């Protein structure tokens, strides 16, 4: 898990910095799949592992395609903008899950 986070963070950093590293492409692609997939998977806690994996990867691809289509439709396509948009959308999907878990943990500690 830690290695995946490091690879994804490296991919986002390389893409945002405009590096000419040969690892930029594969690591950035990994970030673009892993970030939204992780956020979607966190919202699907009730599913079994295999269906949750399939749905989260499909959701990640859908988020990436919708971001790309939206940016192309308004003529604002850029790699940096795409990375930032996917990051923000992934964070917004993950935020309610984190808030819900925090509230549940606080309620358990009180009661």
């Amino acid at each position: 898990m830690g290695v995946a986070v490091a690879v994804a963070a490296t991919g986002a950093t390389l893409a945002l910095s405009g590096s000419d590293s040969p690892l930029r492409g594969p690591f950035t692609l990994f970030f673009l799949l892993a970030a939204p997939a992780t956020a979607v998977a966190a919202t699907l806690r009730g599913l079994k592992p295999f269906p949750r994996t399939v749905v989260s990867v499909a959701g990640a691809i859908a988020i990436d395609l919708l971001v790309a289509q939206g940016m192309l439709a308004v003529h604002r396509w850029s790699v940096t903008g795409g990375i930032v948009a996917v990051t923000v959308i992934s964070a917004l999907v993950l935020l309610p899950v984190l808030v819900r878990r925090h509230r549940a943990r606080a309620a358990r500690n009180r009661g």
Side-chain angles (χ1 to χ4, degrees):
M1 181 72 172
V3 174
V5 171
V7 169
T10 303
T13 304
L14 289 173
L16 292 174
S17 68
S19 172
D20 289 333
S21 170
L23 297 175
R24 177 184 175 186
F27 283 14
T28 303
L29 179 61
F30 182 77
F31 171 78
L32 288 172
L33 289 174
T38 302
V40 171
T43 62
L44 302 172
R45 296 293 285 187
L47 289 179
K48 293 180 181 177
F50 182 71
R52 188 164 107 181
T53 302
V54 170
V55 171
S56 65
V57 169
I61 292 170
I63 288 170
D64 290 341
L65 290 175
L66 287 172
V67 166
Q69 184 178 4
M71 290 178 75
L72 287 171
V74 296
H75 305 289
R76 297 287 183 204
W77 172 251
S78 72
V79 173
T80 305
I83 297 290
V84 170
V86 168
T87 303
V88 168
I89 290 170
S90 298
L92 290 175
V93 170
L94 189 59
L95 185 64
V97 174
L98 296 176
V99 169
R100 195 174 326 124
R101 286 185 190 171
H102 178 69
R103 286 184 182 167
R105 189 176 303 136
R108 278 192 310 240
N109 290 339
R110 278 184 259 163

